[in-house]
Amino acid sequence: DDREAELHDMWERLTKAEAGWQEMNTAPMDGTEALVTGFIWNDPKQGRWQQVAAWNGYEWATEQAPLHTPTHWRPLPPNPTA
């Protein structure tokens, strides 16, 4: 349904804007860890995943494994002070 897809796209844009997500082409490529997100199995109908990961010079990966293709990223929050 076109209307449903349009509403979904609008919701995605609003959610990203409010949450501070940025396009992957602006992500740090120096090994800095970031919170990244993408679609499960690269399929928007399956929902999203989120993971702390870093660019390893070849792909976005955790210490354990490479990730599905991330679509957005945001900096990690600062660690607690206490």
Side-chain angles (χ1 to χ4, degrees):
D1 170 278
D2 289 345
R3 180 71 176 145
E4 185 176 324
E6 184 180 320
L7 289 172
H8 177 77
D9 290 344
M10 186 182 347
W11 179 255
E12 285 286 311
R13 286 193 307 274
L14 288 170
T15 300
K16 283 184 262 180
E18 290 176 3
W21 292 103
Q22 301 175 51
E23 301 287 332
M24 288 306 294
N25 63 354
T26 66
M29 305 296 274
D30 61 0
T32 300
E33 287 187 326
L35 181 61
V36 296
T37 186
F39 295 113
I40 298 169
W41 303 114
N42 297 323
D43 180 359
K45 294 177 184 172
Q46 299 295 320
R48 285 193 169 271
W49 55 266
Q50 293 182 2
Q51 184 73 44
V52 174
W55 181 255
N56 66 12
Y58 175 71
E59 61 194 348
W60 282 90
T62 66
E63 291 181 5
Q64 293 83 25
L67 301 174
H68 296 285
T69 306
T71 60
H72 294 83
W73 78 281
R74 68 180 304 156
L76 293 176
N79 287 325
T81 57

